[in-house]
Amino acid sequence: MASLKPILGELYAQAQSRRSTNWREAFAQVLIDCHSNYCNQRFSLVSEVFQNQLLEHFKGRSLLVFVHIGFTYLLQICQAELELSEKSFPLTNDASLTTLLLEPLGQLLLDVVRPQYIMWTDMFTIAEFVDLIKCKVMEEQLDKYGKTGSLLQPFVAVLLADVRERLIFRAQTFLRDNVSNYCPSATDLDYPSKLELPPSSESSTPDVSTSFPPDYRSSGEKVIYCGVSEKSTEKCFHDGFPPLFHTLTCLTTLNRCLEARTFSGIAQEAVHICCGSIKGASHSIHNQVGFTDGQLFLIKHLLLLREQIATFEPDLTANAVYARNLNFSHLRGHVQRIIAGETSVGSREPGASDLLTLAVQGLPRLVETAVDSRIELEQLLKVACEDYIMFVTRQIVEPMLSFITKITAIRVSGIMTEEAPVRQTAFATPDRIRDIVVTVNKTLHSTLPKHIQKMRIYLAGSVSRETILNPIKSNISEAHAQFASDLVKSMNDMPS
């Protein structure tokens, strides 16, 4: 190649001297053709040696180690070829060199690498490969080799995109197999046995006989939920529901490997199917053990899921996923009138025929809505907490609530008179009132401590327990107050 330099120098001199003549383009094309032939010849000389060296480096090494070594070798060869090309063709650009020599050399490396990672089925191994390409190759090796690295940047970007596509496919398969289609075993649903802990130094169950705070009010309109625990550990995920653990490990892995917008779409889908899996397991526990354990299981794992995806919230907010749907609601009126025979179908006058209007204005409307699984998660958690609060409240003060309902019904009907006072009805006799009070007090002292102990097993965070327990206390307090108020009014023997 060095022997060609005098000939090429003469061509450059001729091209420079004729730069202002009509032959400038012709001489420039001659140089381009020479450079293209040069690249083809260099590739034919280098390719076989380069390929043999790659195969030699690959022997006895893992793919991750080989890729790091292979790219280092590729960059060294490309840098040497670039320096030789610049000495021989100082006036030509790097486009033909990249297209005809550097990228084909990179393709030889890809031909060795791609069949290997295509066979990978483990999502986490592919994610490690993505990290290697991003951190070691693109951010370290390409930057280290300067101009040579810049010329190979598009090639490495294509490789990274291909590996990411493979990662997305395996992640979707992972979520399908381990979350969406996961069949819980008897051990997975063995609650509360999986959570029961030995006695701790934690304070004993509060004395429920003490009066509730007089200024406390039920937060039924808006309940603010807190984190599941002040000290979440990895053990709680391993010992918990497997689909939740698989979802969080998958999202943590993908968050560092994918672009934010792509990750946001997968995360929305993952949270959605994880909520469905948790809800299904909750129903199974409800049928096997009881409503209390099923509902607390649901609350516990939804809190864990919400707490952990808070890490990804900036990406999910900045890269919202939109769903497009067709809306035909504006056609409902026309179709109903046609079916009911209220319009002249055959009329050709504008506005006289709903069929003609339907044909003219019948295009559906495109509605675009943001898909946010976090809202679905919050709603599911809110409903679960409220259902549990109402269940415990009714279990304790059901006799009082039944009495209040009957009193309200009598007042609304207007049948309460001086001749027929409420206290003479079967449900409001002194003995019946005494039974209601005794039953509620007995249930309060026996049932509520059990629920508190059960919440302590499921919810490690004291703040989480108080967030659920306080509305229960408030509801019980309000039921007692309403019962006393209705009792006093009913004993006056006066119509309402």
Side-chain angles (χ1 to χ4, degrees):
M1 291 301 169
S3 63
L4 296 176
K5 191 171 183 180
I7 302 174
L8 295 174
E10 182 65 23
L11 286 174
Y12 286 131
Q14 293 293 333
Q16 290 282 16
S17 63
R18 290 167 173 78
R19 179 171 292 183
S20 61
T21 66
N22 296 331
W23 295 93
R24 180 181 57 182
E25 294 183 1
F27 273 89
Q29 186 62 44
V30 169
L31 292 177
I32 293 174
D33 293 340
C34 288
H35 193 220
S36 298
N37 290 328
Y38 164 83
C39 292
N40 291 330
Q41 290 298 319
R42 288 300 301 172
F43 179 73
S44 64
L45 291 173
V46 175
S47 58
E48 184 176 357
V49 177
F50 178 71
Q51 190 173 27
N52 292 335
Q53 286 294 322
L54 288 178
L55 295 176
E56 188 66 26
H57 285 307
F58 190 39
K59 291 180 180 179
R61 290 189 173 94
S62 68
L63 184 61
L64 298 179
V65 175
F66 167 72
V67 166
H68 188 270
I69 297 174
F71 266 103
T72 301
Y73 182 50
L74 173 64
L75 287 166
Q76 291 173 352
I77 295 296
C78 290
Q79 186 175 39
E81 291 296 332
L82 178 62
E83 292 174 355
L84 181 60
S85 176
E86 289 177 343
K87 291 178 181 179
S88 304
F89 298 89
L91 295 183
T92 57
N93 56 37
D94 300 319
S96 59
L97 176 68
T98 304
T99 305
L100 299 175
L101 183 56
L102 302 187
E103 288 187 357
L105 288 175
Q107 188 63 40
L108 292 177
L109 175 61
L110 182 59
D111 290 342
V112 178
V113 172
R114 194 172 193 276
Q116 303 300 320
Y117 70 74
I118 284 296
M119 293 189 299
W120 285 345
T121 58
D122 182 47
M123 179 192 69
F124 302 102
T125 304
I126 302 175
E128 189 178 354
F129 190 35
V130 172
D131 285 338
L132 174 67
I133 297 174
K134 281 179 56 182
C135 302
K136 295 295 184 181
V137 177
M138 298 192 73
E139 297 179 5
E140 293 183 10
Q141 290 182 308
L142 295 188
D143 291 343
K144 178 181 178 181
Y145 283 86
K147 185 178 181 180
T148 305
S150 300
L151 294 176
L152 287 177
Q153 184 86 22
F155 167 76
V156 180
V158 171
L159 172 61
L160 178 61
D162 186 59
V163 179
R164 279 175 168 170
E165 186 176 348
R166 179 67 179 171
L167 175 62
I168 292 171
F169 170 72
R170 295 312 309 178
Q172 291 173 333
T173 304
F174 178 86
L175 291 172
R176 182 197 65 200
D177 296 341
N178 296 284
V179 181
S180 181
N181 296 339
Y182 183 82
C183 295
S185 64
T187 305
D188 294 332
L189 302 179
D190 187 19
Y191 284 84
S193 299
K194 290 184 65 174
L195 301 175
E196 288 178 346
L197 302 174
S200 62
S201 58
E202 204 170 3
S203 60
S204 59
T205 303
D207 183 6
V208 295
S209 62
T210 57
S211 60
F212 298 136
D215 58 343
Y216 192 88
R217 294 294 179 265
S218 174
S219 54
E221 296 82 2
K222 182 179 180 181
V223 181
I224 301 176
Y225 306 102
C226 57
V228 64
S229 173
E230 289 85 351
K231 47 180 181 180
S232 297
T233 62
E234 186 178 356
K235 183 178 183 298
C236 77
F237 296 112
H238 283 288
D239 295 343
F241 190 49
L244 174 62
F245 174 73
H246 293 320
T247 300
L248 295 177
T249 52
C250 178
L251 293 182
T252 303
T253 302
L254 296 180
N255 185 44
R256 70 173 191 270
C257 296
L258 300 179
E259 294 179 346
R261 184 167 185 81
T262 306
F263 169 76
S264 178
I266 297 178
Q268 299 286 359
E269 179 185 1
V271 172
H272 172 74
I273 63 177
C274 184
C275 288
S277 183
I278 294 173
K279 192 173 181 181
S282 171
H283 286 311
S284 299
I285 296 174
H286 178 192
N287 296 331
Q288 295 175 11
V289 185
F291 178 84
T292 300
D293 290 280
Q295 208 66 10
L296 287 175
F297 170 89
L298 179 62
I299 294 172
K300 170 187 175 66
H301 289 86
L302 290 179
L303 283 172
L304 277 171
L305 178 60
R306 192 190 67 169
E307 180 185 66
Q308 296 302 312
I309 65 172
T311 308
F312 315 124
E313 189 166 352
D315 290 334
L316 298 179
T317 303
N319 300 277
V321 179
Y322 292 91
R324 294 178 175 85
N325 300 292
L326 296 178
N327 185 3
F328 295 89
S329 60
H330 61 290
L331 307 178
R332 185 180 305 161
H334 299 298
V335 175
Q336 289 176 346
R337 284 192 292 270
I338 292 174
I339 295 175
E342 299 176 359
T343 181
S344 176
V345 177
S347 176
R348 297 183 178 180
E349 297 181 5
S353 172
D354 277 301
L355 185 60
L356 183 60
T357 304
L358 188 64
V360 175
Q361 303 178 0
L363 294 176
R365 297 170 182 171
L366 183 64
V367 180
E368 192 177 71
T369 55
V371 179
D372 195 343
S373 297
R374 293 170 300 167
I375 297 177
E376 176 190 359
L377 173 59
E378 290 291 343
Q379 291 175 344
L380 187 59
L381 179 58
K382 182 176 183 294
V383 171
C385 290
E386 290 176 348
D387 288 347
Y388 179 74
I389 290 169
M390 291 308 302
F391 171 78
V392 177
T393 301
R394 289 185 177 279
Q395 197 175 38
I396 296 173
V397 295
E398 178 62 31
M400 287 185 177
L401 296 178
S402 178
F403 178 85
I404 294 171
T405 301
K406 293 175 181 178
I407 288 289
T408 304
I410 290 177
R411 287 176 179 169
V412 172
S413 63
I415 62 175
M416 188 171 63
T417 62
E418 294 181 357
E419 293 77 14
V422 175
R423 66 179 182 179
Q424 294 183 1
T425 59
F427 69 87
T429 61
D431 291 340
R432 180 57 182 157
I433 297 296
R434 189 182 303 108
D435 291 342
I436 292 175
V437 174
V438 171
T439 302
V440 170
N441 287 338
K442 183 179 179 180
T443 307
L444 179 62
H445 288 80
S446 60
T447 303
L448 186 56
K450 294 180 181 179
H451 282 289
I452 293 174
Q453 183 61 30
K454 187 82 75 171
M455 283 191 288
R456 184 169 294 165
I457 294 174
Y458 278 91
L459 305 177
S462 59
V463 180
S464 300
R465 296 195 299 269
E466 289 300 321
T467 303
I468 297 177
L469 185 59
N470 286 340
I472 295 175
K473 291 180 179 180
S474 178
N475 290 341
I476 295 173
S477 177
E478 290 179 0
H480 277 78
Q482 185 64 39
F483 175 78
S485 175
D486 289 345
L487 192 60
V488 171
K489 290 181 181 179
S490 65
M491 294 298 105
N492 289 331
D493 293 340
M494 293 297 294
S496 176

